[in-house]
Amino acid sequence: MMMQKTPSRPRAALIALATAASLGCALLAASPAALAQQQGATAPAEYRLGAGDVIRISVYQNPDLTLETRVGETGVVSYPLLGTVRIGGLSATQAEKLIADGLKNGNFVKVPQVTIVVMQVKGNQASVLGQVNRPGRYPLEVADMRLTDLLANAGGVTTTGAEILVLSGTRNGQPYRVEIDLPSVFAPGGRGQDIVVQNGDVLWVDRAPMVYIYGEVQRPGAMRLERSMTLMQSLATGGGLTLRGTEKGIRVHRKSADGKVQVLQPAMDEPLKDGDVVYVRESLF
């Protein structure tokens, strides 16, 4: 009697099964600490409680322990049964654990489930001033709020705002000041210039550089000086010369470092500077 052979599995299927088994063993062998560290690497940073923040503390099935309070200037709150609790600088999760441990260790609540909700952010704020649509103070609602987030809260830069922004504050107890080229933040690889904003920072948006055109042009007046704008480009922005205007009669009035005004006759492809005044004379013929 002949033995019937069992059909063999395809080689690819066997390899897939072996790989899956190895992966499963690796996951089982991984320690909880290693898994937590891997998950924490991608988790966003939590907001840190600060002086002035209004918070609500509640304990599950213990309504008498519900408290809405303001974090004091020294970072402490007064909580029932526990007295003074220092939570300034802690995340909401860390503060929840601190209060829960106090209730448990004091035998007040066997298994306390504490929840903290930030009602108003007052302790961590930054200011936006200058040429923005909504200047003012804004809360740093997340620990890693960046310059572009703060600028978006202020409504963005106005049409008269400059492209170079100035962020000032303190870092490690030392005065801090940095200039940021806003367009480069959105360029490839510009993420590093999108600085994380800290409590007390001030973002200043200056007025954009301007040039002024008058004389025999279609639209005389002030205009925004774009980067590397040449004399010819400024004239084009002003609508060009009138029928009575002449290129030979173009003069640029520029203030020097000592405050004196120089009268120049630059070439059409020469770039202008902030504050330049372009005058187009009338043709004599």
Side-chain angles (χ1 to χ4, degrees), residues 226-259:
E226 304 295 341
R227 292 192 179 190
S228 303
M229 176 181 276
T230 63
L231 174 60
M232 180 179 291
Q233 290 172 331
S234 69
L235 294 173
T237 305
L241 276 61
T242 66
L243 295 177
R244 294 182 299 180
T246 173
E247 292 185 6
K248 294 182 180 180
I250 298 176
R251 299 292 184 270
V252 173
H253 299 253
R254 178 175 297 166
K255 185 178 292 187
S256 60
D258 59 3

Side-chain angles (χ1 to χ4, degrees), residues 92-276:
T93 301
Q94 293 171 331
E96 288 170 352
K97 185 179 185 304
L98 180 64
I99 294 175
D101 290 344
L103 293 174
K104 183 178 180 180
N105 295 335
N107 294 321
F108 301 117
V109 182
K110 287 186 177 180
V111 186
Q113 299 180 32
V114 180
T115 302
I116 294 180
V117 178
V118 181
M119 309 298 293
Q120 295 181 18
V121 177
K122 297 291 186 181
N124 294 278
Q125 294 186 336
S127 300
V128 188
L129 304 174
Q131 303 298 313
V132 291
N133 288 297
R134 295 191 299 272
R137 289 176 59 84
Y138 291 90
L140 306 180
E141 297 178 346
V142 293
D144 57 349
M145 177 176 282
R146 296 185 177 270
L147 179 141
T148 52
D149 300 322
L150 181 63
L151 190 60
N153 288 342
V157 180
T158 64
T159 55
T160 59
E163 296 179 343
I164 303 296
L165 314 182
V166 177
L167 183 70
S168 59
T170 57
R171 297 292 186 275
N172 300 320
Q174 299 296 322
Y176 175 81
R177 183 184 184 278
V178 61
E179 294 186 356
I180 303 100
D181 183 14
L182 187 58
S184 66
V185 173
F186 301 97
R191 175 68 173 175
Q193 298 187 51
D194 197 5
I195 300 172
V196 175
V197 182
Q198 296 187 11
N199 180 38
D201 281 354
V202 178
L203 179 63
W204 168 253
V205 182
D206 204 352
R207 177 188 62 84
M210 305 289 289
V211 293
Y212 307 87
I213 300 181
Y214 74 107
E216 297 300 327
V217 289
Q218 300 289 345
R219 294 191 298 273
M223 68 175 62
R224 181 189 179 102
L225 178 63
E226 304 295 341
R227 292 192 179 190
S228 303
M229 176 181 276
T230 63
L231 174 60
M232 180 179 291
Q233 290 172 331
S234 69
L235 294 173
T237 305
L241 276 61
T242 66
L243 295 177
R244 294 182 299 180
T246 173
E247 292 185 6
K248 294 182 180 180
I250 298 176
R251 299 292 184 270
V252 173
H253 299 253
R254 178 175 297 166
K255 185 178 292 187
S256 60
D258 59 3
K260 296 182 179 180
V261 177
Q262 299 174 326
V263 181
L264 310 174
Q265 191 175 0
M268 282 293 184
D269 59 351
E270 185 172 331
L272 297 177
K273 295 184 178 182
D274 183 23
D276 280 355

Side-chain angles (χ1 to χ4, degrees), residues 57-63 65-66 79 103 109 111-115:
I57 308 172
S58 57
V59 182
Y60 180 63
Q61 292 186 340
N62 289 269
L65 294 178
T66 299
Y79 190 71
L103 293 174
V109 182
V111 186
Q113 299 180 32
V114 180
T115 302

Side-chain angles (χ1 to χ4, degrees), residues 20-38:
S22 300
L23 181 59
C25 292
L27 289 174
L28 291 174
S31 64
L35 293 175
Q37 183 177 4
Q38 183 177 2

